[in-house]
Coordinates of all heavy atoms in Angstrom, one line a residue:
M97 N 82.1 114.8 95.7 CA 83.0 113.9 96.3 C 82.2 112.8 97.0 O 81.1 113.0 97.4 CB 83.9 114.7 97.3 CG 84.7 115.8 96.7 SD 86.0 115.2 95.6 CE 87.3 114.8 96.7
K98 N 82.8 111.7 97.1 CA 82.3 110.5 97.8 C 83.1 110.2 99.0 O 84.4 110.3 99.0 CB 82.2 109.4 97.0 CG 81.4 109.5 95.7 CD 81.2 108.2 94.9 CE 82.4 108.0 94.0 NZ 82.1 107.0 92.8
D99 N 82.4 110.0 100.1 CA 83.2 109.6 101.3 C 83.4 108.1 101.2 O 82.6 107.3 100.9 CB 82.3 109.8 102.6 CG 82.2 111.3 102.8 OD1 83.2 112.0 102.6 OD2 81.1 111.7 103.2
V100 N 84.7 107.6 101.6 CA 85.0 106.1 101.6 C 85.5 105.8 103.0 O 86.4 106.6 103.5 CB 86.0 105.9 100.6 CG1 86.4 104.4 100.6 CG2 85.6 106.3 99.2
E101 N 85.0 104.8 103.5 CA 85.5 104.4 104.8 C 85.7 102.9 104.9 O 84.9 102.1 104.4 CB 84.5 104.8 105.9 CG 84.9 104.6 107.3 CD 84.1 105.3 108.4 OE1 83.2 106.0 108.1 OE2 84.3 105.0 109.6
I102 N 86.8 102.5 105.5 CA 87.1 101.1 105.8 C 87.1 100.9 107.3 O 87.8 101.6 108.0 CB 88.6 100.7 105.1 CG1 88.8 101.2 103.7 CG2 88.7 99.1 105.4 CD1 90.3 101.0 103.5
D103 N 86.3 100.0 107.7 CA 86.4 99.6 109.2 C 87.5 98.6 109.1 O 87.4 97.4 109.0 CB 85.0 98.9 109.5 CG 85.1 98.3 110.9 OD1 86.2 98.6 111.6 OD2 84.2 97.7 111.4
Q104 N 88.7 99.1 109.4 CA 89.9 98.4 109.3 C 89.9 97.1 110.4 O 90.6 96.1 110.1 CB 91.2 99.2 109.5 CG 91.3 100.1 108.3 CD 92.5 101.0 108.5 OE1 92.6 101.9 109.3 NE2 93.6 100.7 107.7
E105 N 89.3 97.3 111.5 CA 89.3 96.3 112.5 C 88.8 94.9 111.9 O 89.0 93.9 112.3 CB 88.4 96.7 113.7 CG 89.0 97.9 114.2 CD 89.5 97.7 115.7 OE1 89.0 96.8 116.4 OE2 90.7 98.2 116.0
G106 N 87.7 95.2 111.0 CA 87.0 94.0 110.5 C 87.6 93.4 109.2 O 87.2 92.4 108.8
C107 N 88.6 94.1 108.6 CA 89.1 93.6 107.4 C 89.9 92.3 107.6 O 90.7 92.2 108.6 CB 90.1 94.8 106.9 SG 91.1 94.2 105.5
I108 N 89.7 91.4 106.7 CA 90.3 90.1 106.8 C 91.5 90.0 105.8 O 92.0 88.9 105.6 CB 89.3 88.9 106.6 CG1 88.6 89.0 105.3 CG2 88.3 88.9 107.7 CD1 87.8 87.8 104.9
G109 N 91.8 91.1 105.1 CA 92.9 91.1 104.1 C 92.8 90.3 102.9 O 93.7 89.6 102.4
C110 N 91.5 90.1 102.4 CA 91.3 89.2 101.3 C 92.0 89.7 100.0 O 92.2 89.0 99.1 CB 89.9 88.9 101.0 SG 89.0 90.5 100.3
G111 N 92.2 91.0 100.0 CA 92.8 91.7 98.8 C 91.9 92.1 97.6 O 92.4 92.6 96.7
S112 N 90.7 91.9 97.8 CA 89.7 92.3 96.7 C 89.8 93.8 96.4 O 89.8 94.1 95.2 CB 88.3 91.9 97.1 OG 88.0 90.6 96.7
C113 N 89.6 94.5 97.5 CA 89.5 96.0 97.2 C 90.7 96.5 96.6 O 90.7 97.3 95.6 CB 89.2 96.7 98.5 SG 90.4 96.6 99.8
Y114 N 91.9 96.1 96.9 CA 93.2 96.6 96.2 C 93.3 96.0 94.8 O 94.0 96.6 94.1 CB 94.4 96.7 97.1 CG 94.6 95.8 98.3 CD1 95.3 94.6 98.3 CD2 93.9 96.2 99.5 CE1 95.5 93.9 99.4 CE2 94.2 95.4 100.6 CZ 95.0 94.3 100.5 OH 95.2 93.5 101.8
A115 N 92.9 94.8 94.7 CA 92.9 94.2 93.3 C 92.0 95.0 92.4 O 92.4 95.2 91.2 CB 92.6 92.7 93.4
L116 N 90.9 95.3 92.8 CA 89.8 95.9 91.9 C 89.9 97.5 91.9 O 89.5 98.1 90.9 CB 88.4 95.6 92.5 CG 88.0 94.2 92.4 CD1 86.8 93.8 93.2 CD2 87.8 93.7 90.9
C117 N 90.6 98.1 92.9 CA 90.7 99.5 92.9 C 91.9 100.0 93.5 O 91.9 100.6 94.5 CB 89.4 100.1 93.7 SG 89.1 101.9 93.6
P118 N 93.1 99.7 92.8 CA 94.3 99.9 93.4 C 94.6 101.4 93.5 O 95.6 101.7 94.3 CB 95.3 99.2 92.5 CG 94.5 99.1 91.2 CD 93.1 99.0 91.5
K119 N 94.0 102.2 92.8 CA 94.4 103.7 92.9 C 93.9 104.3 94.3 O 94.4 105.3 94.8 CB 93.9 104.6 91.8 CG 92.6 104.6 91.5 CD 92.3 105.5 90.3 CE 90.9 105.2 89.6 NZ 90.8 105.9 88.3
V120 N 92.9 103.6 95.0 CA 92.4 104.1 96.1 C 92.6 103.2 97.4 O 92.9 103.7 98.5 CB 90.8 104.2 96.1 CG1 90.2 104.6 97.4 CG2 90.5 105.1 94.9
F121 N 92.8 101.9 97.2 CA 93.0 100.9 98.3 C 94.4 100.3 98.1 O 94.8 100.0 97.1 CB 91.9 99.9 98.3 CG 90.5 100.4 98.5 CD1 89.8 100.6 97.4 CD2 89.9 100.6 99.7 CE1 88.5 101.1 97.5 CE2 88.6 101.1 99.9 CZ 87.9 101.3 98.7
E122 N 94.9 100.1 99.3 CA 96.3 99.3 99.3 C 96.4 98.5 100.6 O 95.7 98.7 101.5 CB 97.4 100.4 99.2 CG 97.4 101.3 100.4 CD 98.7 102.3 100.2 OE1 99.1 102.4 99.1 OE2 98.9 103.0 101.2
D123 N 97.3 97.6 100.6 CA 97.7 96.8 101.7 C 98.5 97.7 102.6 O 99.3 98.5 102.2 CB 98.5 95.7 101.3 CG 98.8 94.6 102.4 OD1 98.9 95.0 103.6 OD2 98.8 93.4 102.1
D124 N 98.3 97.7 103.9 CA 99.1 98.5 104.9 C 100.4 97.9 105.3 O 101.1 98.4 106.1 CB 98.2 98.9 106.1 CG 98.0 97.8 107.1 OD1 98.4 96.5 106.7 OD2 97.6 98.0 108.2
G125 N 100.6 96.8 104.7 CA 101.9 96.0 105.0 C 101.8 95.0 106.0 O 102.6 94.1 106.2
S126 N 100.5 94.9 106.5 CA 100.3 93.9 107.5 C 99.0 93.1 107.2 O 98.4 92.5 108.1 CB 100.2 94.4 109.1 OG 99.2 95.2 109.1
G127 N 98.6 93.1 106.0 CA 97.4 92.4 105.6 C 96.0 93.0 105.9 O 95.0 92.4 106.1
T128 N 96.1 94.4 106.1 CA 94.9 95.1 106.3 C 94.8 96.2 105.3 O 95.8 96.7 104.9 CB 94.9 95.8 107.7 OG1 94.9 94.7 108.7 CG2 93.6 96.6 108.0
A129 N 93.6 96.4 104.7 CA 93.4 97.5 103.8 C 93.4 98.8 104.4 O 93.0 99.1 105.5 CB 92.0 97.3 103.0
Q130 N 94.0 99.7 103.6 CA 94.0 101.1 104.0 C 93.8 102.0 102.7 O 93.8 101.5 101.6 CB 95.3 101.5 104.6 CG 96.4 101.5 103.8 CD 97.8 101.9 104.6 OE1 97.8 102.0 105.7 NE2 98.8 102.0 103.8
L131 N 93.4 103.2 102.9 CA 93.4 104.1 101.7 C 94.7 104.7 101.3 O 95.6 104.9 102.2 CB 92.4 105.3 102.1 CG 90.9 104.9 102.4 CD1 90.1 106.2 102.8 CD2 90.3 104.3 101.1
V132 N 94.9 104.7 100.1 CA 96.2 105.4 99.5 C 96.2 106.8 100.2 O 95.2 107.5 100.3 CB 96.1 105.4 98.0 CG1 97.2 106.3 97.5 CG2 96.1 104.1 97.5
E133 N 97.4 107.3 100.5 CA 97.6 108.5 101.3 C 96.8 109.7 100.8 O 96.2 110.5 101.5 CB 99.0 108.7 101.6 CG 99.3 109.8 102.6 CD 100.8 109.9 103.0 OE1 101.6 109.3 102.4 OE2 101.0 110.6 104.0
K134 N 96.9 109.9 99.5 CA 96.4 111.2 99.0 C 94.8 111.3 99.1 O 94.3 112.4 99.0 CB 96.8 111.4 97.5 CG 96.2 110.5 96.6 CD 96.7 110.8 95.1 CE 96.1 109.9 94.1 NZ 96.5 110.2 92.7
F135 N 94.1 110.2 99.3 CA 92.7 110.3 99.5 C 92.3 110.3 101.0 O 91.1 110.4 101.3 CB 92.0 109.1 98.9 CG 92.2 109.0 97.3 CD1 93.0 108.0 96.7 CD2 91.7 110.1 96.5 CE1 93.2 107.9 95.4 CE2 91.9 109.9 95.2 CZ 92.7 108.9 94.7
R136 N 93.2 110.2 101.9 CA 92.7 110.2 103.3 C 92.4 111.6 103.8 O 93.0 112.6 103.5 CB 94.0 109.6 104.2 CG 94.3 108.3 103.9 CD 95.6 107.9 104.8 NE 96.2 106.7 104.2 CZ 97.4 106.4 104.5 NH1 98.2 107.0 105.4 NH2 97.9 105.3 104.0
T137 N 91.4 111.5 104.7 CA 91.0 112.7 105.4 C 91.1 112.6 106.9 O 91.2 113.6 107.6 CB 89.5 113.1 105.1 OG1 88.6 112.0 105.4 CG2 89.3 113.5 103.7
E138 N 91.2 111.3 107.4 CA 91.2 111.1 108.9 C 91.8 109.7 109.0 O 91.1 108.7 108.7 CB 89.8 111.3 109.5 CG 89.8 111.2 110.9 CD 88.3 111.2 111.5 OE1 87.5 111.9 110.9 OE2 88.2 110.6 112.5
G139 N 92.9 109.6 109.5 CA 93.5 108.2 109.7 C 93.7 107.5 108.4 O 93.5 108.1 107.3
A140 N 93.9 106.2 108.4 CA 94.3 105.4 107.1 C 92.9 104.9 106.6 O 93.0 104.4 105.4 CB 95.3 104.4 107.4
G141 N 91.8 104.9 107.3 CA 90.6 104.2 106.8 C 89.6 105.2 106.4 O 88.5 104.6 106.0
K142 N 89.7 106.5 106.5 CA 88.7 107.3 106.1 C 89.2 108.4 105.1 O 90.3 109.0 105.3 CB 88.2 108.1 107.3 CG 87.1 107.6 108.0 CD 86.5 108.5 109.0 CE 85.3 108.1 109.7 NZ 84.8 109.0 110.6
G143 N 88.4 108.6 104.1 CA 88.8 109.6 103.1 C 87.7 109.9 102.1 O 86.5 109.6 102.3
E144 N 88.1 110.6 101.1 CA 87.1 111.0 100.0 C 87.8 111.0 98.7 O 89.1 111.2 98.5 CB 86.5 112.3 100.3 CG 87.4 113.5 100.4 CD 86.7 114.9 100.7 OE1 85.6 114.8 101.2 OE2 87.3 115.9 100.4
V145 N 86.9 110.6 97.7 CA 87.5 110.5 96.3 C 86.4 111.3 95.4 O 85.3 111.6 95.8 CB 87.5 109.0 95.8 CG1 88.5 108.3 96.7 CG2 86.2 108.4 95.7
K146 N 86.9 111.6 94.2 CA 86.1 112.2 93.2 C 85.0 111.4 92.8 O 85.2 110.1 92.8 CB 86.9 112.7 92.0 CG 87.7 114.0 92.2 CD 88.4 114.3 90.9 CE 89.3 115.5 91.1 NZ 89.9 115.9 89.9
D147 N 83.9 112.0 92.4 CA 82.7 111.2 92.0 C 83.0 110.3 90.8 O 82.4 109.3 90.8 CB 81.6 112.1 91.5 CG 81.0 112.8 92.9 OD1 81.1 112.3 93.9 OD2 80.4 114.0 92.7
D148 N 83.9 110.6 90.0 CA 84.1 109.8 88.8 C 85.1 108.5 89.0 O 85.3 107.7 88.2 CB 84.7 110.6 87.6 CG 86.1 111.2 87.9 OD1 86.6 111.1 89.0 OD2 86.6 111.8 87.0
I149 N 85.5 108.4 90.2 CA 86.2 107.1 90.6 C 85.2 106.0 90.8 O 84.9 105.9 92.0 CB 87.2 107.5 91.7 CG1 88.2 108.5 91.2 CG2 88.1 106.1 92.0 CD1 89.5 108.8 92.3
D150 N 84.9 105.3 90.0 CA 83.7 104.3 90.1 C 84.2 103.0 90.8 O 83.4 102.3 91.3 CB 83.2 104.0 88.8 CG 82.5 105.1 88.1 OD1 82.0 105.9 88.9 OD2 82.4 105.2 86.9
C151 N 85.5 102.8 90.8 CA 85.9 101.4 91.4 C 85.7 101.3 92.9 O 85.8 100.3 93.4 CB 87.4 101.1 90.9 SG 88.6 102.4 91.6
V152 N 85.5 102.5 93.6 CA 85.2 102.3 95.0 C 83.9 101.6 95.3 O 83.9 100.8 96.2 CB 85.3 103.8 95.7 CG1 86.7 104.3 95.7 CG2 84.3 104.6 95.1
E153 N 82.9 101.8 94.4 CA 81.7 101.0 94.6 C 81.9 99.5 94.3 O 81.4 98.6 94.9 CB 80.5 101.5 93.7 CG 79.8 102.7 94.4 CD 80.5 104.0 93.9 OE1 81.5 104.1 93.2 OE2 80.0 105.1 94.3
T154 N 82.8 99.2 93.2 CA 83.1 97.8 93.0 C 83.8 97.2 94.0 O 83.5 96.1 94.4 CB 84.0 97.9 91.7 OG1 83.4 98.7 90.7 CG2 84.2 96.4 91.1
A155 N 84.7 97.9 94.7 CA 85.5 97.4 95.9 C 84.5 97.2 97.0 O 84.5 96.2 97.6 CB 86.5 98.4 96.2
E156 N 83.6 98.1 97.2 CA 82.5 98.0 98.3 C 81.8 96.8 98.1 O 81.6 96.0 99.1 CB 81.7 99.2 98.3 CG 80.6 99.3 99.4 CD 79.6 100.3 99.2 OE1 79.4 100.9 97.9 OE2 79.0 100.9 100.2
N157 N 81.3 96.5 96.9 CA 80.5 95.4 96.6 C 81.2 94.1 96.7 O 80.6 93.0 96.9 CB 79.8 95.5 95.3 CG 78.8 96.6 95.2 OD1 78.2 96.9 96.3 ND2 78.6 97.3 94.1
S158 N 82.4 94.1 96.5 CA 83.3 92.9 96.6 C 83.8 92.4 97.9 O 84.3 91.3 98.1 CB 84.5 93.1 95.7 OG 85.5 93.8 96.4
C159 N 83.6 93.3 98.8 CA 84.3 93.0 100.2 C 83.5 92.0 100.9 O 82.2 92.1 101.0 CB 84.3 94.3 101.1 SG 84.9 94.0 102.7
P160 N 84.1 90.8 101.2 CA 83.3 89.7 101.7 C 82.8 89.9 103.1 O 82.0 89.1 103.6 CB 84.3 88.5 101.7 CG 85.7 89.2 101.7 CD 85.5 90.6 101.1
V161 N 83.4 90.8 103.9 CA 82.9 91.1 105.2 C 82.2 92.5 105.3 O 82.0 92.9 106.5 CB 84.0 91.0 106.2 CG1 84.4 89.4 106.3 CG2 85.3 91.7 105.8
N162 N 82.0 93.1 104.2 CA 81.3 94.4 104.2 C 81.8 95.5 105.1 O 81.0 96.1 105.9 CB 79.7 94.1 104.5 CG 79.1 93.3 103.4 OD1 79.2 93.6 102.3 ND2 78.3 92.3 103.9
V163 N 83.1 95.7 105.0 CA 83.7 96.7 105.9 C 84.0 98.1 105.2 O 84.5 98.9 105.7 CB 84.8 96.3 106.7 CG1 84.4 95.1 107.7 CG2 86.0 95.8 105.8
I164 N 83.7 98.0 103.9 CA 83.9 99.2 103.1 C 82.6 100.0 102.9 O 81.5 99.3 102.5 CB 84.4 98.9 101.7 CG1 85.8 98.2 101.9 CG2 84.6 100.2 100.9 CD1 86.4 97.7 100.5
S165 N 82.5 101.2 103.2 CA 81.2 102.0 102.9 C 81.6 103.2 102.0 O 82.6 103.9 102.3 CB 80.5 102.3 104.2 OG 81.3 102.9 105.0
V166 N 80.7 103.5 101.1 CA 80.9 104.6 100.2 C 79.5 105.3 100.2 O 78.5 104.8 100.2 CB 81.1 104.1 98.7 CG1 81.2 105.3 97.8 CG2 82.3 103.2 98.6
S167 N 79.6 106.7 100.5 CA 78.5 107.5 100.6 C 78.7 108.8 100.0 O 79.8 109.2 99.8 CB 78.0 107.5 102.0 OG 79.0 108.1 102.9
Ligands
SF4_453 S1 87.9 93.7 100.3 FE1 87.3 94.0 102.5 S2 88.2 92.3 103.6 FE2 89.1 92.3 101.6 S3 91.0 93.5 101.9 FE3 89.5 95.0 101.2 S4 88.6 95.8 103.1 FE4 89.7 93.9 103.6

């Protein structure tokens, strides 16, 4: 499994992560990214996904303010 974290305070709502990886990321309704509920482990910004979900790295690399981390 891979840990995925969004520092939601720093998100500027550009939409890249949900455009590129919509199965994991979504808009929370107010212009901030959050994780889709089934992947969350703690709050809306922390979770984990299976190793074969590669779009999380694509989203991480696309974030203009570098608030997504995958480890
Ligand atoms: S790519 Fe980054 S700034 Fe853009 S919506 Fe996602 S978390 Fe927010």
